[in-house]
Amino acid sequence: VFATGFQQSCSPIESIESILASADPSSYDHVNAGDYYVPPSVIVVAIDQRTGNVFVGGHFSTIGNVTAYNIAFYDKGADQWYRLRDRGLVNDANQYPGHVGALAIKGNYLFVGGNFSQTSTETLGSQPVTNLNNIAKYNIGAGTPEDVQRGTWSPLSDDGLSDTVNALV
C-alpha cells in the first residue's frame, strides 16, 4: 500500500489520527537557516502486512516527539513513533535536506528511495552509512519495534543511483 502527496495536516491511513512532523531549519540548510526551508511533510506511507505497523517517509526532522530524519516507524499497538537506526536519512554530514519519496516492504526488508546519500550523523559515537545514493534497504526483521530500531542500513549494488528515486515496487 502506498500513498503519496498528502501533507501532515491531512488525515493519514488507518488508526493514525494526525502526523505531527516538524523540521529544524538549521538542519535543512547548507548555507544558513534563513536561506532555505523545506516545510515538513509526509510523502509516502508503507504498511508492514505482517504487523499492520506503518513506515512514513518525507521531509521532516521530528515526528511526534521523536527525532527522525525523513523516515520513521509507527507502532499502532503502542500508538508510538520510533526512529530507525541512526535517526534516518540525509544528504550529507551537514544534514542537507534530502527526503524519502518511496517505500516498499519485501520480507524482512524495507526498501527506501528518495534523495539522500547517507544515514544521519547525529547518533553519538556512530559513523554514518554512506554511499546509499538515493536507494537503500533496511533490515526490519519480524517488524517488531525492537527489530526495527535495531535494523541495519545497506547500500544496494553499485552504491545506489545517480538521481532521485520517486517510486518502488
Side-chain angles (χ1 to χ4, degrees):
V1 173
F2 293 93
T4 62
F6 62 88
Q7 296 293 322
Q8 68 182 15
S9 59
C10 298
S11 297
I13 59 171
E14 289 198 351
S15 63
I16 304 172
E17 295 299 322
S18 65
I19 296 176
L20 299 176
S22 65
D24 172 6
S26 65
S27 71
Y28 279 82
D29 177 17
H30 64 289
V31 180
N32 67 55
D35 291 345
Y36 184 56
Y37 176 72
V38 176
S41 62
V42 172
I43 297 170
V44 65
V45 175
I47 300 172
D48 187 339
Q49 296 299 314
R50 302 169 302 169
T51 63
N53 293 327
V54 178
F55 292 87
V56 297
H59 294 278
F60 51 85
S61 59
T62 64
I63 193 160
N65 292 323
V66 176
T67 299
Y69 291 97
N70 305 314
I71 189 166
F73 168 74
Y74 179 77
D75 176 10
K76 73 178 193 172
D79 188 26
Q80 184 171 342
W81 288 101
Y82 296 93
R83 63 178 161 245
L84 281 64
R85 186 179 187 114
D86 297 329
R87 295 188 181 185
L89 299 166
V90 295
N91 240 340
D92 62 26
N94 295 320
Q95 314 292 1
Y96 181 74
H99 71 275
V100 169
L103 297 171
I105 299 171
K106 174 82 172 160
N108 291 350
Y109 292 96
L110 172 70
F111 292 86
V112 182
N115 182 277
F116 53 85
S117 64
Q118 67 179 53
T119 60
S120 173
T121 57
E122 290 217 0
T123 303
L124 186 62
S126 73
Q127 293 296 314
V129 177
T130 58
N131 295 326
L132 297 179
N133 300 323
N134 307 311
I135 191 165
K137 70 179 180 177
Y138 187 79
N139 187 339
I140 60 173
T144 65
E146 295 80 17
D147 283 351
V148 171
Q149 291 179 87
R150 285 191 304 254
T152 53
W153 290 102
S154 303
L156 294 176
S157 60
D158 297 325
D159 293 328
L161 299 169
S162 63
D163 207 346
T164 302
V165 174
N166 294 311
L168 291 169
V169 175

